[in-house]
Amino acid sequence: MTEKNTRNFIYISMILFSMVMNTLAPLMTSIQERFSVSITISSSLPFISTFGTMISNFIGSFFIAQIGYKSFLTGAFIIEILGLVLFVTAINFPMIVLSAFLLGVATGATFMTLTSAFSHLDRKIQNFGFLNASFGIGGIIAPLLVSLFLVMKLDFRFVYFIHLILISLLFIFVLIYKPIQNIKYEAIKFKEATGIIRKRFVYLSLLIFLFYSGSEIGIITWSGNLFHDVFNYSKEFSSVIISLFWVVFTFGRAITEFLNRKLTELGTILYFSISLIISLAFLLIFQHFIFFLFVGFSLSAIFPSIQKYTNQNLPKRILGMYNGLAFGSTGIGAMIIATSMGVIGDINFNISYTIPFLTFTIIIFITQKLGKEKLESDK
C-alpha cells in the first residue's frame, strides 16, 4: 500500500476505535440503572479501562520495537474483538468491568501502534491535528448512536454489537491487505529506557499527557451525570450535548495545524489551557450547556500539539517506546483524575469539576518549562 493509503487506514482505525471508547460515557447512567450500581461503583469502569490502557502501553513500549508494528496491531484487534463480544453478552456488572479492561488494553495498544506508524510516514503527509480529529469523529458518532438507541428503547448493549461488526470487518481488511508494515528496531533495554525517561524533554512532555488526558477523560466521562443530576437535562438531551461537544472538539483538532503555524505548538497548548480554565468556570457558574462546547474547543488542540511537538523531535527508534509511555501516562492521569472526579461527584459534581482548574494550571507551568528545555537543547 502507498503511504497515503496507510495514512487513511490509520484515520479510519482511529475513528472506529474512538467510537468504541466514547460509547461508555453516554451509557454510564444506563449501566448504573440496569445493574443497580452507584456512581462511585460505576467509576470503576473508566478506572479499569484506563488501567488496561496503561498496562498495554507501559508493557508494550518495551516490546513493540522487537515484535513489530503489524504484529502488535494484530494482537490489539484480537483483544478488542474479545472485549466487544464480552460486552454484548454481559449479564452482570462484573462482565462489563472485564470487558472495559480488555477494551482498554486493545485501545492502548492500537493507539500506540498507529501513532508510531503515523510518525514514520513522510512528514509532508503527516497531520497530527487530523489524526486526533479522527478520534473526535468517533466521539461525535458514538453518543448519537447511543441517543438513537435510547429513543428506540433498544438494549444499550446493541451499540456494542454494531461496534463488533465494524471492528471485525476492519480486522479482516488488516489480515488481507496488511496496511501497516511490520517495522522493527533493536530492543530497548530497561536501563536504556530509564535513561530516556530521565531526560527533561521526555518526562516534562509525559507529565503534560498525564494531566491533560486525565482531565479530558474526567470531564467527558462524567458530563452525562453533570447534565442529568445538576443541570436537570434528560439523558437523551445530554447525549446530544456530548455529541455537539465532539463536533466542536473535532473542528478544533482539524485546524490544529493552522493554529500551530500561527501560535507554535507550545503556544497553542498555553493559550488553549487558559481558555479551558475560563470556559469551565463559566460552565459551573451559569450551568448552561453552551459553555461545555467552549470547553470542548479549548481541549481540542492541546493533545495533537504536544504529540506533534514530541514525535517530530525524537529519534524514530524510540518513538514506539515513547508513544507507549505517552499513552500510558494518559492512563495514569485518567485513573487518578477521572476516578477522583467520579468519587467526588458522588457527593457534589460542582466540586468535582473544579479539579481541572488545578491540572491545567500545572500544564501551563510545565509547558513554559518545556519551552525553555527546547531552547537549551538547541544551543
Side-chain angles (χ1 to χ4, degrees):
M1 296 183 71
T2 65
E3 286 203 337
K4 285 188 176 181
N5 287 335
T6 297
R7 180 197 62 184
N8 294 337
F9 163 77
I10 291 173
Y11 289 155
I12 293 171
S13 299
M14 291 289 286
I15 291 172
L16 294 185
F17 274 80
S18 172
M19 286 172 60
V20 176
M21 186 177 183
N22 288 296
T23 294
L24 182 61
L27 281 179
M28 287 297 286
T29 53
S30 297
I31 293 173
Q32 290 159 9
E33 292 177 1
R34 169 63 64 85
F35 298 110
S36 300
V37 295
S38 66
I39 294 174
T40 299
I41 293 176
S42 65
S43 67
S44 64
L45 292 178
F47 178 91
I48 200 68
S49 175
T50 51
F51 179 71
T53 300
M54 182 188 68
I55 290 296
S56 68
N57 280 300
F58 281 138
I59 295 178
S61 65
F62 290 96
F63 297 103
I64 187 173
Q66 61 191 97
I67 293 175
Y69 289 5
K70 184 187 70 175
S71 299
F72 206 80
L73 184 65
T74 299
F77 265 91
I78 293 173
I79 296 173
E80 178 83 355
I81 291 172
L82 289 175
L84 289 171
V85 169
L86 189 61
F87 204 109
V88 169
T89 59
I91 58 175
N92 53 47
F93 187 69
M95 290 182 68
I96 297 291
V97 173
L98 179 57
S99 171
F101 174 75
L102 293 176
L103 294 177
V105 169
T107 300
T110 301
F111 286 1
M112 172 177 64
T113 308
L114 293 178
T115 302
S116 300
F118 190 81
S119 300
H120 280 74
L121 300 176
D122 189 321
R123 286 198 178 190
K124 294 180 181 179
I125 64 172
Q126 288 183 25
N127 186 325
F128 281 90
F130 196 80
L131 175 68
N132 287 277
S134 299
F135 181 86
I137 292 172
I140 295 171
I141 298 172
L144 286 178
L145 281 176
V146 171
S147 180
L148 175 64
F149 291 141
L150 287 176
V151 170
M152 296 175 65
K153 307 298 182 182
L154 294 174
D155 191 305
F156 67 86
R157 290 172 298 182
F158 191 74
V159 183
Y160 283 87
F161 179 71
I162 300 298
H163 295 331
L164 176 60
I165 294 174
L166 294 175
I167 294 294
S168 297
L169 290 174
L170 188 62
F171 183 46
I172 294 172
F173 178 86
V174 170
L175 294 177
I176 296 174
Y177 294 101
K178 301 176 176 59
I180 299 294
Q181 295 182 3
N182 206 35
I183 300 171
K184 293 184 178 182
Y185 291 102
E186 179 185 350
I188 298 175
K189 296 180 174 59
F190 182 77
K191 184 176 181 180
E192 181 185 4
T194 56
I196 293 171
I197 296 172
R198 285 200 298 268
K199 295 182 181 296
R200 282 174 58 86
F201 182 87
V202 172
Y203 73 72
L204 287 175
S205 61
L206 291 178
L207 285 173
I208 294 178
F209 278 113
L210 187 154
F211 285 110
Y212 166 81
S213 291
S215 303
E216 179 208 283
I217 293 170
I219 289 171
I220 297 170
T221 299
W222 302 112
S223 58
N225 285 100
L226 178 72
F227 297 144
H228 185 265
D229 301 343
V230 181
F231 294 5
N232 295 317
Y233 296 155
S234 68
K235 289 189 293 183
E236 292 79 7
F237 185 57
S238 297
S239 292
V240 172
I241 296 172
I242 295 173
S243 185
L244 291 174
F245 167 96
W246 282 108
V247 171
V248 176
F249 183 86
T250 303
F251 170 75
R253 289 202 159 174
I255 65 171
T256 297
E257 289 292 319
F258 169 79
L259 295 170
N260 288 166
R261 288 195 296 269
K262 296 295 183 180
L263 305 174
T264 74
E265 288 86 1
L266 296 184
T268 301
I269 297 170
L270 283 172
Y271 291 123
F272 275 64
S273 295
I274 294 171
S275 175
L276 182 281
I277 292 174
I278 295 172
S279 300
L280 196 58
F282 285 169
L283 174 68
L284 298 178
I285 293 170
F286 297 104
Q287 296 191 357
H288 195 286
F289 75 88
I290 191 66
F291 296 109
F292 190 64
L293 304 185
F294 283 102
V295 169
F297 184 73
S298 301
L299 286 168
S300 63
I302 297 174
F303 191 94
S305 295
I306 187 61
Q307 195 176 54
K308 175 185 176 183
Y309 186 71
T310 53
N311 274 267
Q312 293 191 348
N313 285 282
L314 289 171
K316 290 187 182 297
R317 176 173 172 262
I318 71 168
L319 285 181
M321 189 201 79
Y322 177 80
N323 283 305
L325 294 174
F327 284 111
S329 297
T330 67
I332 293 177
M335 287 173 64
I336 297 173
I337 299 171
T339 304
S340 297
M341 289 180 66
V343 172
I344 295 173
D346 211 3
I347 302 171
N348 188 307
F349 265 108
N350 283 318
I351 297 176
S352 171
Y353 270 74
T354 61
I355 292 177
F357 286 102
L358 173 62
T359 57
F360 277 90
T361 298
I362 296 174
I363 287 174
I364 292 171
F365 175 78
I366 295 175
T367 302
Q368 292 174 327
K369 292 288 185 181
L370 186 63
K372 293 178 181 178
E373 175 63 22
K374 177 60 179 174
L375 289 174
E376 290 172 2
S377 66
D378 285 342
K379 293 180 180 178

